[in-house]
């Protein structure tokens, strides 16, 4: 049995102070951390309970029209908040696509940002090879074990020879598309991290999921003033209709002028170690909306012709 100490933080400063102890971790909803501990994947020596810290569980408008979502806001509360539903429907849809209702009722926004990959080899200590769980041990998903690696849920972009895991968060895909900013507090003070810089690609340090410094605590997520409330959609492709992680997901947010795309934001989930913005696709869409259905129809026509189902001049 491993001894674990427990401390209930009363404010951000005391939480950050407590986190200076090696092996200390913050716990909010605990929906991922407790699974990892029970599975023998995570071995914290100290849990710092942040759920009683005041002021981190509210959703507030910001000067200029943005929205600040506290790190302790529950996923279900964020998804169903009137301002999120009406001004940032993309975020609401993504949150509701994640996990189950019970988990969403417990999980916090900050914890959602910190959830770890669902790579099966990472979750099963019976597999020795996992650079994320045990740096330098290899990667079973790439093919290091005698089954050759089962990796259909793994990365197709931005992977490294060290790790091909993907980030499992639906919420983060929407936040990437919306250009959110993560607010953190740490031993060196407060800072703001643009969402694109918050999660990292695996490189040669797949044990690190984010760019947080040791002991830094997420306090809130800021959303810029809403510009995509009227044209936004989160699509999650998965093996089951609910309670399954994405094979691929897409968050799309558009500003339209009639049938023309004025501005586009597209982010992909399930394909990389972090949510990825499809910036090339965004640029191609802007001003060329007609080309989207045209390209789709052209692909169908081309494939049909290649298959001999239509003639040369169809
Ligand atoms: Fe571990 Fe990453 Fe390999 Fe999965 S893909 S086994 S998380 S190193």
């Amino acid at each position: 049995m491993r001894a674990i100490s427990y401390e209930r933080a009363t404010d951000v400063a005391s939480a950050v102070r407590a986190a200076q102890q090696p092996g200390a971790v913050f716990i909010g909803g605990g929906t991922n951390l407790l699974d990892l501990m029970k599975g023998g994947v995570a071995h914290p020596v100290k849990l710092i309970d942040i759920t009683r810290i005041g002021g981190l569980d509210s959703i507030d408008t910001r000067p200029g029209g943005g929205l600040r979502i506290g790190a302790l806001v529950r996923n279900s509360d964020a998804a169903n908040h009137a301002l999120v539903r009406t001004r940032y429907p993309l975020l609401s849809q993504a949150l509701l696509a994640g996990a189950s209702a019970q988990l969403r009722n417990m999980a916090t926004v900050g914890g959602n940002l910190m959830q770890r990959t669902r790579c099966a080899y990472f979750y099963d200590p019976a597999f020795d090879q996992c650079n994320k769980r045990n740096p330098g041990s290899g990667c079973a998903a790439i093919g290091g074990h005698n089954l050759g690696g089962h990796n259909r849920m793994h990365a197709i972009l931005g992977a490294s020879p060290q790790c091909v895991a993907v980030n499992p968060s639906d919420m983060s895909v929407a936040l990437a598309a919306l250009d959110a900013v993560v607010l953190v507090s740490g031993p060196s003070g407060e800072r703001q991290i643009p969402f694109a810089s918050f999660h990292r690609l695996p490189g040669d340090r797949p044990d690190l999921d984010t760019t947080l410094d040791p002991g830094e605590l997420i306090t809130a997520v800021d959303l810029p003033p809403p510009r995509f409330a009227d044209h936004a959609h989160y699509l999650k492709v998965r093996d089951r209709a609910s309670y399954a992680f994405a094979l691929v997901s897409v968050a799309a947010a558009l500003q339209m002028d009639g049938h023309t795309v004025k501005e586009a934001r597209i982010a992909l989930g399930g394909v990389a170690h972090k949510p990825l913005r499809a910036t090339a696709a965004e640029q191609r869409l802007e001003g060329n909306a007609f080309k989207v259905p045209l390209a789709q129809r052209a692909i169908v026509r081309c494939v049909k012709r290649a298959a001999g189902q239509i003639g040369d001049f169809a």
Side-chain angles (χ1 to χ4, degrees):
M1 184 181 298
R2 295 172 186 265
I4 302 173
S5 64
Y6 171 87
E7 179 173 336
R8 181 177 289 171
T10 52
D11 53 36
V12 171
S14 67
V16 169
R17 261 196 314 277
Q20 299 315 299
Q21 179 181 341
V25 298
F26 301 117
I27 183 166
T31 54
N32 189 206
L33 177 60
L34 294 180
D35 272 353
L36 293 168
M37 291 170 63
K38 286 186 279 189
V41 179
H43 305 288
V45 299
K46 180 182 194 175
L47 296 178
I48 306 163
D49 184 348
I50 58 172
T51 56
R52 306 302 208 283
I53 297 176
L56 301 188
D57 60 352
S58 62
I59 297 178
D60 303 296
T61 52
R62 302 292 299 157
L67 202 66
R68 175 164 293 177
I69 303 176
L72 291 178
V73 173
R74 305 286 173 175
N75 283 192
S76 50
D77 291 336
N80 294 313
H81 193 280
L83 291 176
V84 176
R85 289 172 65 103
T86 55
R87 298 184 185 181
Y88 305 93
L90 184 66
L91 177 58
S92 181
Q93 291 173 29
L95 281 162
L96 293 173
S100 64
Q102 292 87 345
L103 286 168
R104 291 194 295 271
N105 287 341
M106 278 301 294
T108 63
V109 166
N112 194 324
L113 292 174
M114 295 300 291
Q115 65 176 302
R116 308 215 68 190
T117 182
R118 261 55 180 191
C119 171
Y121 304 105
F122 173 72
Y123 269 78
D124 189 349
F127 288 97
D128 295 330
Q129 295 180 318
C130 176
N131 287 321
K132 187 178 280 296
R133 173 166 36 81
N134 184 15
S137 61
C139 172
I142 291 176
H145 72 97
N146 60 10
L147 295 177
H150 181 73
N151 49 26
R152 69 188 286 276
M153 295 293 289
H154 287 74
I156 55 172
L157 297 170
S160 79
Q162 301 280 316
C163 180
V164 292
V166 299
N167 184 293
S169 168
D170 294 294
M171 180 191 78
S172 292
V173 185
L175 292 179
L178 292 169
D179 284 327
V181 175
V182 183
L183 279 61
V184 304
S185 188
S188 305
E190 298 178 350
R191 66 184 179 117
Q192 302 189 354
I193 308 174
F195 205 80
S197 305
F198 182 76
H199 293 104
R200 54 186 301 286
L201 293 175
D204 58 2
R205 290 296 308 272
D207 52 314
L208 300 176
D209 295 337
T210 72
T211 55
L212 284 175
D213 290 332
E216 280 189 317
L217 174 67
I218 300 168
T219 55
V221 173
D222 272 0
L223 297 172
R227 300 203 312 279
F228 306 104
D230 294 334
H231 302 283
H233 186 64
Y234 184 69
L235 174 68
K236 182 174 182 179
V237 181
R238 48 186 158 175
D239 286 335
R240 293 189 304 264
S242 70
Y243 198 38
F245 293 98
L247 282 163
V248 172
S249 66
V250 182
L254 307 174
Q255 263 201 337
M256 301 292 295
D257 181 6
H259 294 295
T260 300
V261 177
K262 277 177 65 183
E263 197 175 350
R265 296 282 184 273
I266 300 172
L268 299 173
V271 297
H273 202 253
K274 59 183 284 185
L276 286 184
R277 279 282 288 273
T279 47
E282 292 173 0
Q283 288 162 10
R284 288 197 174 94
L285 272 174
E286 289 169 10
N288 282 315
F290 74 97
K291 284 197 174 181
V292 177
L294 181 62
Q296 289 171 331
R297 290 176 196 137
I299 290 169
V300 171
R301 199 166 89 191
C302 184
V303 170
K304 279 187 168 178
R305 184 170 153 183
Q309 292 183 3
I310 57 176
D312 282 350
F313 301 105

